[in-house]
Amino acid sequence: MIKRIFIGMVCAFAMLTVQAQNFRYGVTAGLNLNTSAGDMNTVGSHIGYYAGIKGVYDFSGESTGLYLTTTLALSQKSFKSQAVELMPGDPHTATYGKTSAHYLEIPVRVGYSFAVGKSTRVLLEAGPYASLALWGKDNVYTDGKKVGDRSAFDEYGIRRFDFGLSLGAGVQLAKHYQLMVSYNHGLAQLNHPDRSQPGTVLPTRSLYHRTFNFTLAYMF
């Protein structure tokens, strides 16, 4: 159902952009602050990049009212597993993995803007997002030193497709600059079923992306 809603919103946005008088586009860049949720023992927050092309369709064409916005972006998301001592009591054998994946991401959000002064608008947005991982690595560290790596998407890694809900708030200054803070709440289970024991499928430990996003956009 979420996928169908997302595809429908993308199609609606594409149709609206035909009416160019209310459509604007721009470029955006910023940082992700990534965490994760679920049964996996992950720790810490991790910084990644975010950059893309942004489009906005104003329904009213005024400084106050509804609008529709989307971004085609490259987005880096990472998480780190909790360290485990391979030889209990020996901290030099503490081993952990860090996964970093690079996604093609599309949020589609409905927003409402209202004027604060002559050249400032406050922006509030909400909607779904979907992303597809293009490449990624799972690096393994022991005693703080890298000892190996593998694809982030093999049978022991994560799924490539992620989707969820996206919220955003920010300000537009002088018609061209947009400062935004967004939060993506992942709903896609990232882990594959555990098939480490032949002939059995063990309960899958859940893992979900949680991402705060800080961006600056310039709208033409």
Side-chain angles (χ1 to χ4, degrees):
M1 178 61 72
I2 293 177
K3 292 182 182 179
R4 292 179 181 177
I5 293 173
F6 175 79
I7 292 172
M9 292 186 71
V10 171
C11 292
F13 185 86
M15 294 175 64
L16 288 172
T17 58
V18 175
Q19 303 181 37
Q21 67 272 18
N22 289 343
F23 178 74
R24 302 173 66 200
Y25 67 94
V27 293
T28 183
L31 296 175
N32 290 333
L33 184 62
N34 303 294
T35 60
S36 57
D39 299 331
M40 288 281 290
N41 293 322
T42 58
V43 294
S45 301
H46 309 279
I47 294 176
Y49 65 82
Y50 186 93
I53 301 171
K54 183 175 186 177
V56 177
Y57 180 86
D58 280 312
F59 290 102
S60 65
E62 302 294 337
S63 60
T64 298
L66 288 172
Y67 63 91
L68 187 65
T69 181
T70 188
T71 304
L72 180 64
L74 285 174
S75 179
Q76 181 186 16
K77 301 180 184 181
S78 305
F79 61 89
K80 174 184 171 182
S81 64
Q82 191 171 33
V84 176
E85 294 179 355
L86 300 182
M87 296 180 64
D90 184 355
H92 296 293
T93 66
T95 299
Y96 64 89
K98 183 175 181 180
T99 298
S100 180
H102 306 263
Y103 290 85
L104 182 64
E105 184 167 285
I106 304 176
V108 179
R109 299 196 289 237
V110 175
Y112 188 85
S113 67
F114 53 93
V116 178
K118 293 183 178 181
S119 60
T120 303
R121 298 168 68 181
V122 174
L123 310 173
L124 301 174
E125 304 172 358
Y129 80 89
S131 54
L132 179 67
L134 302 179
W135 73 94
K137 283 286 187 180
D138 184 9
N139 296 313
V140 180
Y141 298 84
T142 298
D143 195 23
K145 300 176 181 178
K146 182 178 175 180
V147 296
D149 63 68
R150 57 184 174 83
S151 170
F153 313 110
D154 63 17
E155 60 181 319
Y156 303 106
I158 60 174
R159 303 176 190 271
R160 287 183 179 271
F161 185 67
D162 180 36
F163 65 88
L165 301 176
S166 181
L167 302 174
V171 294
Q172 178 173 290
L173 305 171
K175 296 184 179 181
H176 295 290
Y177 300 95
Q178 292 185 352
L179 292 169
M180 296 293 301
V181 178
S182 305
Y183 171 67
N184 286 353
H185 186 89
L187 299 176
Q189 159 64 293
L190 299 175
N191 278 336
H192 293 286
D194 188 344
R195 302 181 186 274
S196 57
Q197 298 184 17
T200 64
V201 179
L202 302 177
T204 303
R205 290 186 295 173
S206 59
L207 179 67
Y208 306 92
H209 281 311
R210 301 286 187 263
T211 305
F212 285 95
N213 177 247
F214 306 89
T215 58
L216 170 63
Y218 181 85
M219 305 303 297
F220 297 101

